[in-house]
């Protein structure tokens, strides 16, 4: 079995982030996918690359040496790949991009950095709005593209969409919560729990339909449009949350631990989409941005 670029990229991400779960979220793949890639890589190399501990992983001595070589390999690959864009460096124009609140905080920074590095002469105009209004702007021709987080099939017929990533819903719990001892949690176990609700990216309204399907009636304690407020309240033990794993982070701003557990029931996933207006030709900047965004296609967070 030969080494693969995928294995090297996964290993480099784990080494940089310091945890397998954290790397999985950055890569938008499942934690088991990263674990399997690392296992295959260590088997191929014939020595241990990482030492596991309670808070993540650390590189072994040989793992650190290997990481330095991997960085050089990945830099060389990136340099080789840049050749395809050498005749595109002069690309100019404007890209008007709409994003939702969650996308702006958790997806946009990486995409925007890579796009501006590749096409520095393109002027990028950013607009943050609710998904429904972004739909309206797309249909009206006010946006070139929109990147949104959706639940279920809610795409206007006038718009096209490609899936950039898929994220399952997990339960967020404080570190000391009794359910944190479980490997997975059923909705029935959450019936009497106070819920902290994130009122953003139409996640709340879509989740209402899910609750009706499973005859689940959560006890609402607090609603907020702030992800950090939800995270802090959950970490402090004031309630729990049921949210896409894409936006999970293990620590609150106050440094308190947040646990995440999968849900036993098969809930709809949150789909990360790049959308455009059907029937309107995409300008070159928009097409290149979409191509870059879709390099995330088929990746899974959680």
């Amino acid at each position: 079995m030969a080494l693969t670029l995928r294995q090297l990229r996964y290993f480099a991400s784990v080494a940089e982030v310091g945890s397998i779960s954290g790397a999985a979220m950055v890569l938008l793949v499942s934690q088991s996918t990263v674990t399997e890639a690392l296992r295959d890589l260590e088997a191929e190399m014939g020595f241990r690359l990482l030492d596991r501990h309670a808070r993540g992983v650390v590189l072994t001595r040989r793992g650190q040496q290997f990481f330095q070589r991997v960085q050089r390999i990945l830099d060389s690959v990136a340099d080789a790949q840049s050749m395809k864009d050498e005749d595109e460096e002069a690309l100019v124009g404007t890209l008007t991009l709409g994003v939702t609140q969650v996308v702006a905080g958790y997806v946009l920074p990486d995409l925007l950095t890579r796009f501006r590095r590749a096409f520095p002469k393109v002027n990028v105009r950013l607009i943050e709005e609710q998904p429904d209004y972004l739909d309206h702007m797309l249909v009206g021709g006010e946006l070139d593209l929109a990147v949104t987080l959706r639940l279920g099939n809610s795409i206007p017929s006038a718009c096209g969409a490609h899936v950039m990533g898929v994220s399952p819903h997990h339960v967020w719990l404080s570190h000391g919560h009794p359910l944190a001892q479980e490997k997975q949690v059923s909705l029935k176990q959450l019936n009497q729990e106070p819920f902290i609700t994130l009122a953003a990216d139409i996640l709340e309204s879509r989740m209402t339909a899910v609750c009706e399907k499973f005859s689940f009636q959560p006890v609402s304690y607090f609603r907020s449009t702030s992800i950090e407020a939800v995270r802090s309240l959950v970490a402090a033990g004031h309630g729990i949350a049921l949210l896409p794993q894409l936006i999970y982070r293990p620590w609150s701003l106050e440094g308190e631990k947040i646990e995440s557990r999968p849900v036993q029931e098969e809930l709809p996933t949150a789909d990360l989409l790049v959308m455009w207006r059907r029937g309107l030709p995409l300008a070159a900047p928009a097409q290149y941005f979409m191509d870059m965004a879709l390099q995330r296609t088929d990746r899974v967070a959680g």
Side-chain angles (χ1 to χ4, degrees):
M1 180 180 63
L3 298 180
T4 68
L5 278 176
R6 182 178 68 88
Q7 291 171 340
L8 299 183
R9 284 174 174 142
Y10 285 10
F11 166 72
S13 183
V14 171
E16 290 165 356
V17 175
S19 75
I20 293 175
S21 60
M25 284 185 286
V26 171
L27 295 163
L28 276 183
V29 300
S30 66
Q31 187 170 329
S32 60
T33 298
V34 177
T35 300
E36 182 180 356
L38 292 176
R39 184 173 60 245
D40 291 344
L41 183 59
E42 288 183 325
E44 175 66 18
M45 296 305 300
F47 54 82
R48 195 173 70 257
L49 298 169
L50 304 161
D51 283 329
R52 279 73 169 172
H53 59 84
R55 293 201 169 208
V57 299
V58 293
L59 293 171
T60 62
R61 181 182 61 82
R62 299 196 72 185
Q64 182 63 49
Q65 295 171 341
F66 184 69
F67 179 48
Q68 294 172 357
R69 289 168 170 78
V70 168
Q71 287 179 307
R72 291 197 291 269
I73 292 171
L74 295 180
D75 286 343
S76 296
V77 170
D79 183 59
Q81 289 177 326
S82 69
M83 292 179 61
K84 67 182 178 63
D85 295 327
E86 287 178 354
D87 61 343
E88 298 158 0
E89 289 181 355
L91 182 70
V92 296
T94 299
L95 168 66
T96 304
L97 178 68
V99 295
T100 55
Q101 178 186 359
V102 170
V103 169
Y106 292 85
V107 180
L108 178 64
D110 173 63
L111 277 177
L112 190 60
T113 298
R114 290 193 288 123
F115 184 78
R116 282 184 161 164
R117 186 182 297 129
F119 307 105
K121 297 182 180 180
V122 174
N123 177 37
V124 182
R125 294 180 59 242
L126 299 173
I127 297 173
E128 181 187 304
E129 283 290 352
Q130 291 295 316
D132 291 343
Y133 195 69
L134 291 181
D135 294 347
H136 170 76
M137 296 182 74
L138 271 179
V139 173
E142 300 174 70
L143 298 176
D144 296 311
L145 298 171
V147 181
T148 69
L149 192 66
R150 304 286 182 113
L151 283 178
N153 185 12
S154 56
I155 308 302
S157 58
C159 296
H162 287 313
V163 178
M164 297 168 54
V166 178
S167 179
H169 282 69
H170 282 202
V171 179
W172 295 8
L173 309 156
S174 65
H175 182 61
H177 196 287
L179 291 177
Q181 305 301 317
E182 306 285 342
K183 291 185 177 180
Q184 63 177 5
V185 178
S186 169
L187 291 179
K188 294 179 180 179
Q189 296 174 278
L190 306 178
N191 266 324
Q192 301 305 315
E193 296 288 341
F195 263 71
I196 312 295
T197 303
L198 177 63
D201 284 41
I202 65 175
L203 296 177
E204 181 183 21
S205 60
R206 293 292 187 266
M207 191 51 65
T208 299
V210 173
C211 293
E212 291 176 355
K213 175 182 177 182
F214 290 96
S215 300
F216 174 59
Q217 297 180 328
V219 180
S220 179
Y221 175 70
F222 185 70
R223 295 174 65 255
S224 177
T225 58
S226 168
I227 300 173
E228 294 305 333
V230 172
R231 187 175 286 117
S232 293
L233 287 168
V234 169
H238 295 293
I240 66 173
L242 186 60
L243 290 168
Q245 194 68 351
L246 169 67
I247 58 178
Y248 169 73
R249 298 294 182 269
W251 304 97
S252 70
L253 290 177
E254 296 78 17
E256 295 183 278
K257 186 76 166 62
I258 302 169
E259 303 289 346
S260 172
R261 296 294 181 269
V263 179
Q264 181 177 324
E265 289 80 4
E266 189 173 344
L267 302 183
T269 58
D271 297 338
L272 184 63
L273 305 176
V274 56
M275 300 171 56
W276 69 95
R277 171 69 161 89
R278 293 188 186 276
L280 293 181
L282 287 178
Q287 186 61 64
Y288 281 120
F289 185 91
M290 181 183 292
D291 292 343
M292 186 171 290
L294 291 178
Q295 292 176 10
R296 304 167 70 107
T297 298
D298 296 331
R299 294 179 178 177
V300 179

